[in-house]
Structures are given as C-alpha cells and as structure tokens.
Amino acid sequence: MDTKLYIDGEWVNSSSGKTVDKYSPVTGQVIGKFEAATKDDVDRAIDAAEDAFWSWNDLGSVERSKILYRAKELIEQKRGELENIIMEENGKPVKEAKEEVDGVLDQIQYYAEWARKLNGEVVEGTSSHRKILQYKVPYGIVVALTPWNFPAGMVARKLAPALLTGNTIILKPSSDTPGSAEWIVRKFVEAGVPKGVLNFITGRGSDIGDYIVEHKKVNLITMTGSTSTGQRIMQKASANMAKLILELGGKAPFMVWKDADMDNALKTLLWAKYWNAGQSCIAAERLYVHEDIYDKFMSRFVELSKKIALGDPKNADMGPLINKGALQATSEIVEEAKKSGAKVLFGGTQPSLSGPYKNGYFFLPTIIDNADQNSKIFQEEIFAPVIGARKVSDVEEMYKLANDSKYGLASYLFTKDPNLIFEAAERIRFGELYVNMPGPEASQGYHTGFRMTGQAGEGSKYGISEYLKLKNIYVDYSGKPLHINTVRDDLFQ
C-alpha cells in the first residue's frame, strides 16, 4: 500500500527521495510506504493551488458540482477497494468500513446539491437607489489536515465543500492512514478536477506541519484532530490571520435517566463506546446513570461488553487501536485509575489473540466503576474502548457532572420525560445532544462544539459558509451627482 504525492497535476515522489513505513494496526506488520514530503514539495503544491485558483473560481459552482457528482459515481463503482484499504490501514471491521464509505458518498452528494444555493443578499442602503450587495466568495487556498480515525469520511467532508465553493486545496492526511486519502484523491482527479486545484502531500507533521500552516499564501486551514494540535495551529496561523475550522477533542457524557428504555440505551451505548474502538470525537467517554437503575444497567452493560468479538476485521465487532502509542497510553490510564481506587468491572488489558492478530494493537472493552470525577478517566479524552461510570441522584447533579469537561462536542441523553429533554437541551453545554438515539452527525447537521472542542464547524449550510467569505459591494445607481458633506460641491463647478 504505497502512496505518492500529487502536485500540480502529477503523481510524484518526494523531492528528498525519502519514504516512511506504514504499519497495520491489525497485525503490527509493515503494509506499505508513503512519501515524506519536504518544504519544497509544500511550496510547489501551494504555488500550484495559487495558479489554479482563478480559473477554478471562474468555472462556477454548477460546473464544479458536476465534477463532484462524477467523483461520487467513480467512488461508488469501486467502493470495495476503499473499504479494503480502510480495513487494512485503520483496522475497522468490515461493517464499519462499509458505513464509512456510505458516509463518503453521502457527504459528496450533499455538498454537490448546494451548487445552486450559494446565495448572498441585497441589503437596502441609505436611499432607494443605493444597495449593498452581500455575496460570498471563496477564501482561496485551503489546507486540509485529516485524521486517521475516519480516514475517508473526513477527507470527503473537507474536499467536497472546499472544492464546490471555488477554493483550491492542499490535502495532508494522517501518517497513519494515507492510503484512503490517496485513493479518494485519485477518483477526484479521474472525475476531472483540473491540475493544481487539488494537491495531495504526505509526511510527518514534525517535518512539514508547522511550515504548511504558517505559510503566507494559505488562506484557510481546516483540521480535525487533537486539541493540542489545534492550539499549535492557531499559534502558527496567527502570523497570517488564516481562517480556521478546527474540530478537536471530545469527552461525551452518556446520561441514562431512571425512566429510560434500558434496551435502547444499552444498544446505543454499545455503539457509542465501541464504534471504531472508541476512537471517535463523539464516542461516549463518561457514563452517568440514575442510582435507581444503576446496578441493573451496569450488570447488563458488562455482560454485553464481554460478547464483543475482536480480531479479523471481516468477522470482528470491534477493531484495534491505531498504533502502539495509543495502546500504551490506554494501558497507562487504566492502571492509573486502578491505583487510585477505581474498580475495573471488565477488561483493562489486551486480549489473547492468536495467529496474525496476536501482535495487533487490540484492547478489550473496558468498564471502570467508582473513578473520581477529577481523574483522567473522566477529564481527559481517552480515544479507546474505555469508559468510566458514576451514579447520579438528581438532574442537577447530572447536568453538573456532564458539563464538567473542557470539551463540548457530543452528548447523549436517554429519558421518556419530554420536560427533561427540553430542559437538557438548554442546560447541557455541548454542540450536539443525541436524545434516545445514536449518532453519528448527519451531513445536514452542523458539527460543532463548545470550549476546547474547537472553532467553527462542518456540515449543513453553516458548514458550507465556513468556506466562503462574505463580501460587500456598495452601489449607487441613481446616475445623479453625489453630495458628500465633507466635500465642497463648488469645487466641481
């Protein structure tokens, strides 16, 4: 699974001639190499995007959407190839890989449908013959930094709106999952994206990360990743005041009230915690259950978690963690919780797997009881199949504990009480609240959050607007001589 760079319409090697090994999280073995781009490669990609901007902008959104529709068709025709790449380089079970490709197709379709809806406004001026034309223009050169946890879905979420709105783009995927991104780029190229409009680079963030986000020609940076990386991007991008779209950390509370449909809540919790092995920004990471049903709920949750199958992505319910570093970090945080007095109800270790999967980065579903609210289990984003649980006795306690997080992306509530639902909608300070249902977010929903979760958002008409700058044109069409108080009229007589 080797990948190349795509710069100014050509598939090329890094100017340094260096590559980096890519490991499978399923087996721990090398499965390919990717190019280690240099600063010179970044410059060439950005220059190509700059040169291509005006012709791409002039093409118009309707013509650009035709390319998006064609890319969707090409992806759909060969979707099995993309599913296999996701399974191989990310480790997702086949069902999750298929769902992700469904999401890729949905994202592209959704944004392409906006081609005739990118509307501005005409605002009344100071008189009937004066108008203010407010219309939307692309920012220019976009840098898109995509994560490994949804290596295809996040690429589509950033490419489609950026290209539809007339921006040119440099895409840099995570070093853990470059293959999915390259495959999608090849389909967009085959669909007719002109040279220079879409450029693709790979490499370590430590080599080119700072350079690309502080580049003086970059107008907008969109990144999905960790809060620490987002903060660094903010610092570096401030030199040029680049627009930022940052979707960062999450620490979703999963709240189960005493009147909840327990089967519905448990089924959703299994998805919300173990989907992508807990490696999702909207994953349930804190479980708050009313004391009246706590023991019964937790007993059933443990029993269901024991049935989660790991191993071969073609048969497993849950895949591995992405790399050795994630595996080690997860083990450390569980050990720390145990030392502090918390009780591991199930899991807490790697599973015993045989054959090609014995060296994979798997971790058992892990449920921790009686952890302190101030512990890492409840305060730090874990990004693993690990969850801490606590009892709550009243709604005020539930709101307080749920909001006690530096993150504010997704949250979940299970109750039959309509009053509680609408009260929670106001009181729970998260960008998304899923009531009696699972996620993930829909293309037509605005994916955003509070606090350290980031800036701006993606999806919906609001997400499309993030890629457009509102421009104001003041027009006087009366044809009459102007009178300006601070300019003497007699000067023109």
Side-chain angles (χ1 to χ4, degrees), residues 125-181:
T126 55
S127 65
S128 61
H129 54 265
R130 288 186 174 181
K131 306 294 180 187
I132 305 170
L133 311 181
Q134 294 184 322
Y135 67 97
K136 300 171 183 178
V137 297
Y139 274 84
I141 299 174
V142 172
V143 166
L145 307 173
T146 57
W148 50 261
N149 59 337
F150 296 95
M154 294 300 100
V155 168
R157 176 181 277 180
K158 297 181 188 302
L159 282 189
L163 292 174
L164 176 74
T165 50
N167 298 279
T168 53
I169 192 166
I170 296 91
L171 171 66
K172 183 195 175 302
S174 165
S175 295
D176 286 305
T177 53
S180 303

Side-chain angles (χ1 to χ4, degrees), residues 313-327:
K314 294 180 180 178
N315 302 307
D317 298 313
M318 189 177 80
L321 299 177
I322 190 62
N323 54 42
K324 285 184 178 180
L327 187 61

